[in-house]
Amino acid sequence: MGTNKVVLVTGASSGIGLACAKLLSERGHTVYGTSRKPSPASLGFRMLELDVTRDASVQAAVSTVLAEQGHLDVVVNNAGYALAGPIEETSLEEAQGQFDTNFFGVLRVCQAVLPSMRARRSGLIINVSSLGGVAGLPFQGLYSASKFALEGLTESLRLEVASFGIQVTSLQPGDVHTPITQNRVRAQGGGPGSPYRSAFETVLRIIEKEERAGVPAQRVATQVLRLMERKQAGVRSTVGHLSQRIITAAKAFLPSWLFERLLKSYYGL
Ligand SMILES: NC(=O)c1ccc[n+]([C@@H]2O[C@H](COP(=O)([O-])OP(=O)(O)OC[C@H]3O[C@@H](n4cnc5c(N)ncnc54)[C@H](OP(=O)(O)O)[C@@H]3O)[C@@H](O)[C@H]2O)c1
């Protein structure tokens, strides 16, 4: 790959994606950001319309980049949202919606960009996962499940495409201060009359407080830039407050019962 890279960042209208697209274009990369409803206001990089839940929309956006640039070096699969609610009371439709964006959205984009990357024997795919993809979080069960699935996809895909010169890596942010908090979708369950209501509200308050105290999105953008500059992007990396990043090591080294006890006490469960 040359120094000036052609980069596609999904979900670049807000939060982490916006910070990534801005930083990478400031550093001289040719950046295409995406949104389901791109605003006409210039953000300093080109914006394309893309809904990761629609095959045709993904194909059209990728085709535009390839037609204009001839190739694509880096994809940051960032578009996503958080669904909150008790698992028992989350409808299948709500659960499928979460997977359609956070998991199948990434799969659609990967399938659309891989042929051209394979042909050039070069490419980097950065999948924005979460520490919720390392530990199952209470009342964010479907969000966590979608990110666990993304972790599996990332590990498998790495093995399949390495021989074509393509790298795939998982980026696991802890809490990041972005509009994800306001954009959180609440499952229909968990409301008045729900046996989970009190625990759900307590946990949600903790989650939202932690997000507001999260690191700025620019920190994640800097990590994306670092991954692009590395010769080899590893299987995964974390970014965020150290107190949260150690979750990965804690889960690997502590006995499961102790790790779970710590999580329960953290969330007041
Ligand atoms: N903030 C955190 O604490 C945190 C922690 C760990 C991981 N993450 C992950 O980081 C990623 C970005 O989150 P954020 O915090 O930056 O949230 P955000 O500010 O709410 O931004 C979400 C972005 O995703 C896009 N998006 C949502 N649904 C989409 C769809 N169906 N098709 C295309 N784009 C879609 C939105 O674009 P439009 O609405 O304009 O289409 C928006 O640009 C997510 O994958 C999230 O899971 C966030």
Side-chain angles (χ1 to χ4, degrees), residues 4-8 24-25 28-32 45 65 69 72:
N4 177 319
K5 291 167 186 166
V6 180
V7 188
L8 179 70
L24 300 183
S25 64
H29 298 294
T30 304
V31 177
Y32 288 79
F45 52 88
V65 180
Q69 302 297 330
L72 187 49

Side-chain angles (χ1 to χ4, degrees), residues 6-255:
V6 180
V7 188
L8 179 70
V9 181
T10 66
S13 60
S14 166
I16 293 172
L18 176 59
C20 288
K22 270 188 176 161
L23 181 68
L24 300 183
S25 64
E26 279 163 21
R27 296 301 169 94
H29 298 294
T30 304
V31 177
Y32 288 79
T34 78
S35 162
R36 284 166 295 183
K37 286 191 184 140
S39 80
S42 173
L43 297 165
F45 52 88
R46 174 90 189 272
M47 266 300 220
L48 299 176
E49 186 182 331
L50 189 157
D51 180 344
V52 295
T53 66
R54 290 179 45 237
D55 299 354
S57 170
V58 173
Q59 284 297 343
V62 171
S63 299
T64 300
V65 180
L66 293 177
E68 291 184 7
Q69 302 297 330
H71 72 282
L72 187 49
D73 295 301
V74 181
V75 174
V76 183
N77 277 314
N78 164 78
Y81 71 94
L83 174 68
I87 292 172
E88 181 187 333
E89 298 180 345
T90 299
S91 72
L92 272 184
E93 205 183 355
E94 289 165 332
Q96 282 163 348
Q98 177 74 112
F99 268 75
D100 208 16
T101 296
N102 290 15
F103 176 75
F104 290 108
V106 176
L107 178 61
R108 284 186 189 94
V109 173
C110 287
Q111 290 180 340
V113 301
L114 280 168
S116 67
M117 287 184 169
R118 253 190 317 98
R120 283 187 94 223
R121 301 194 74 79
S122 165
L124 170 63
I125 297 174
I126 300 172
N127 290 334
V128 180
S129 176
S130 167
L131 286 179
V134 175
L137 304 177
F139 302 111
Q140 297 220 87
L142 273 306
Y143 175 76
S144 267
S146 71
K147 296 295 188 181
F148 268 68
L150 184 55
E151 291 292 328
L153 183 82
T154 303
E155 286 185 11
S156 299
L157 187 59
R158 281 176 64 84
L159 299 173
E160 294 181 16
V161 300
S163 65
F164 295 107
I166 302 166
Q167 300 187 49
V168 191
T169 188
S170 168
L171 178 54
Q172 302 169 327
D175 286 310
V176 186
H177 186 56
T178 72
I180 198 170
T181 314
Q182 300 90 279
N183 294 338
R184 174 168 282 105
V185 175
R186 284 175 75 126
Q188 277 174 14
S194 164
Y196 298 100
R197 184 159 195 214
S198 149
F200 175 36
E201 294 299 337
T202 305
V203 168
L204 202 55
R205 265 196 301 276
I206 295 171
I207 290 170
E208 292 184 347
K209 188 168 154 242
E210 290 300 322
E211 282 167 357
R212 281 191 289 270
V215 298
Q218 288 79 359
R219 185 89 75 85
V220 186
T222 305
Q223 175 69 4
V224 165
L225 195 63
R226 272 195 210 121
L227 288 168
M228 284 170 55
E229 286 165 355
R230 267 182 210 162
K231 216 168 160 38
Q232 288 294 325
V235 182
R236 62 183 66 87
S237 56
T238 58
V239 55
H241 291 305
L242 184 62
S243 56
Q244 296 181 339
R245 294 173 61 198
I246 56 168
I247 286 176
T248 314
K251 185 163 183 184
F253 295 111
L254 293 179

